[in-house]
Structure formats: C-alpha cells, structure tokens
Amino acid sequence: MEMREIRSFVVLAEQLHFGRASKLLHLSQPALTKQIHRLEDELGGLLFVRGRHGTKLTALGAEFLRDARPMVYDFDQLIERGRRTARGDLGRLRIGFGFHTFELVPRIVVKLRETTPGIDVTLRDLSTAEQIEALRGGHLDLGFIRLPSGSEFESMPVIQDRAMLVSAATSYLSEGAPLADCKNEPFILISRERSPGFYAHVLRLCAKYGFHPRVVQEASEITTALALVRAGLGLAMIPESFGTTHFSGVRFHRLPDKEAVWKVGAAWRKDDQNPLLHRFLNLLRANLNGVANR
C-alpha cells in the first residue's frame, strides 16, 4: 500500500466521480481504477460500488476514509514542512557567542527573523573553548570564536578586538598609561572559567612587560569587573568591543601593542548543510560588507 494510492482513494471518496477525481489527480481513469483495485485487494474488500446512480462508498470505504483522510493531510503537511525546511524557511539554528559579538549576533538574528519568522533560534553565551566543544559535539550550528579556529571548521573573520585597560576615574594613571606602569597594581580579571582564551591573553600581555598581574578578584561578567574597578579595588582588562560609553566612574586606556589585538570569527562544521546556517551567514556577510563600505 502506497501513499499515492491512499491519496487517490481519498480524492475519489470526496468526489464520488472517477472522471473528476482523475483530473484532480492528473491520472487517467484506467490508472485510477488500477490503484483502487490494488487497495481493495490488499484490504480484502470493496471500497466503492458503481451503479446507475453513480459511485458510492461501501461500509469498508466509509470506515477507511475516516482514518485515511487525516493520514493524507498529515503526510502533505510533512512534505510541505520538509520543503520549507530545505529552503531555510523553517528549522532550528543554535548559535554560540561571547562578549565580543554581544551586539552583532542579535542584530543579525533580528534580520533573519524578519525574513523567516517561523524559525527556532537558540542563543548561548559561551567562551571560545565551550563553543568549540559544542560545535564538535553537534550542540551548536555556529559559533563566534577566537581565530584561528583550526582546520576542523569553516570560518569567516568578523571583528578585530583589542585588550583594554580600565582604571577608576579617580586613579592616578594618565590617559595613555602604558601597561608597564601597572606591574605593582592589583588586578581584577575576567575569570579563567568564563573566558579562558581572554584570561590567557591578558597573562601573555603582562608577561611581555615582565610581570604577572597580582589578581585580587576574578569576575564572571565584565560589568561586575567594572563595578569593582569603580569601587577602587584595582585595575581590569576587558575587550575593547565591550564599549566605553555606557559605564561611568571609570577610565578606559587603549593599549597600542599589536599583541593586544586578536580576531574573532564565525565558525561552523565543514559538513553542515543546514539552510538556516547559510542564510544567517549570507546576512552576516552583507552586514560586514555594509560596514566596510561606509
């Protein structure tokens, strides 16, 4: 028993006319008759009787129609959902990102939802290390991680970020104070657990100037670290992408060292054919090209 035979039965049961049903199904009447006979042979009884007053359902036909009609409807819905998913109009997209792309990623998600409102998008705030593991395990479709990502993923550069020193507004440090002047200062660092890549980057940067930062507090959130700086606990290092205009009571010091810079990029599995992933990437490319052309 095939779905096309069940569909033909339902159409004929609704029309009760072989000619009209054949036209709707784009079949010849002999072909439709053969399909109905095959169904009847498999079921072991007649589904229709044809007489001088037309075609009528038998008791078996009426009972079979009650179950067959929702089955055909569900099957049609399944096929339609599959087609829409293949086009990227439906589906699921799981994205990981960190504070480097805290504004960029939601902006692209909004654009994606404008064109495909029926999609399911999951956003997870994760470190680069956590995103890489989630990509490997198939728990994320797309991540925004420190580059290079290695050969196991496809990747696309997105932004360039830079470590930035933060002091209290009342600090003695001048606007362009070099990091070398801070070797005896207490530091508040974004915790190793929250961002192991950034934590290691800060240590390497300090080591360039011959010291290991005296860490008096670790914080899992940048805003917490800034609040502690403002309160006078010590200095902090944060990514420049966090921005400098929405937190008062502190002073931001841009570090000119080329070692303070790193790149963040989108990364995804090489074999991932998720249409939503590639639709998102196209929107991301368009956004980046628009920014570059300003």
Side-chain angles (χ1 to χ4, degrees):
M1 187 179 299
E2 299 180 2
M3 182 55 67
R4 62 176 179 169
E5 295 170 349
I6 298 174
R7 186 191 307 282
S8 295
F9 161 75
V10 169
V11 172
L12 180 57
E14 291 173 344
Q15 297 297 318
L16 291 177
H17 191 283
F18 274 81
R20 289 194 299 268
S22 296
K23 289 181 180 179
L24 289 173
L25 292 165
H26 304 290
L27 291 172
S28 66
Q29 287 194 43
L32 174 58
T33 300
K34 285 182 180 180
Q35 288 187 358
I36 298 303
H37 284 166
R38 282 197 295 268
L39 267 182
E40 291 175 332
D41 289 342
E42 190 161 349
L43 293 172
L46 294 178
L47 295 168
F48 299 94
V49 291
R50 300 175 73 173
R52 65 176 65 181
H53 299 296
T55 302
K56 294 182 179 179
L57 282 167
T58 64
L60 171 61
E63 188 67 22
F64 191 64
L65 177 63
R66 189 176 67 176
D67 294 329
R69 183 181 279 136
M71 179 184 297
V72 171
Y73 175 81
D74 289 344
F75 182 78
D76 288 344
Q77 290 296 105
L78 175 64
I79 295 299
E80 178 59 22
R81 286 185 62 85
R83 288 171 177 160
R84 292 182 66 190
T85 300
R87 293 194 303 264
D89 295 333
L90 287 178
R92 179 180 65 168
L93 184 62
R94 300 161 299 173
I95 303 173
F97 69 108
F99 37 67
H100 313 293
T101 51
F102 199 73
E103 294 183 357
L104 173 65
V105 171
R107 187 165 66 245
I108 305 302
V109 168
V110 168
K111 290 183 179 294
L112 183 65
R113 284 195 176 279
E114 287 174 354
T115 58
T116 51
I119 61 175
D120 177 18
V121 178
T122 302
L123 297 173
R124 298 179 62 191
D125 184 3
L126 300 170
S127 69
T128 287
E130 290 170 328
Q131 290 182 64
I132 288 174
E133 285 305 308
L135 284 168
R136 286 173 178 158
H139 306 300
L140 283 182
D141 303 301
L142 178 66
F144 287 83
I145 65 176
R146 280 174 170 258
L147 297 180
S149 62
S151 60
E152 62 183 310
F153 302 120
E154 296 283 356
S155 64
M156 176 174 64
V158 172
I159 66 168
Q160 180 172 282
D161 213 342
R162 176 186 295 269
M164 182 167 55
L165 184 67
V166 188
S167 66
T170 56
S171 170
Y172 70 91
L173 289 177
S174 62
E175 187 69 25
L179 190 58
D181 290 351
C182 306
K183 60 177 61 178
N184 296 319
E185 296 295 321
F187 273 82
I188 302 148
L189 295 189
I190 306 302
S191 69
R192 192 194 307 265
E193 290 73 20
R194 174 64 181 84
S195 186
F198 183 68
Y199 190 95
H201 194 141
V202 170
L203 296 188
R204 288 196 303 271
L205 197 54
C206 292
K208 176 186 175 183
Y209 292 95
F211 74 98
H212 184 91
R214 179 165 60 89
V215 181
V216 295
Q217 181 68 52
E218 292 189 4
S220 59
E221 301 295 336
I222 293 179
T223 51
T224 303
L226 293 179
L228 292 171
V229 171
R230 182 168 58 190
L233 185 62
L235 306 177
M237 295 269 273
I238 68 169
E240 191 174 64
S241 60
F242 181 78
T244 62
T245 61
H246 52 293
F247 206 94
S248 62
V250 296
R251 186 182 299 147
F252 297 93
H253 308 265
R254 196 169 194 269
L255 299 175
D257 307 71
K258 64 179 182 180
E259 290 85 352
V261 175
W262 70 94
K263 290 183 179 180
V264 175
W268 61 97
R269 291 183 301 278
K270 290 184 175 181
D271 59 347
D272 198 331
Q273 299 300 315
N274 183 349
L276 272 182
L277 166 64
H278 296 283
R279 182 171 289 192
F280 183 97
L281 290 172
N282 288 337
L283 288 172
L284 178 61
R285 290 187 185 98
N287 180 270
L288 295 176
N289 289 337
V291 171
N293 292 331
R294 287 178 186 172

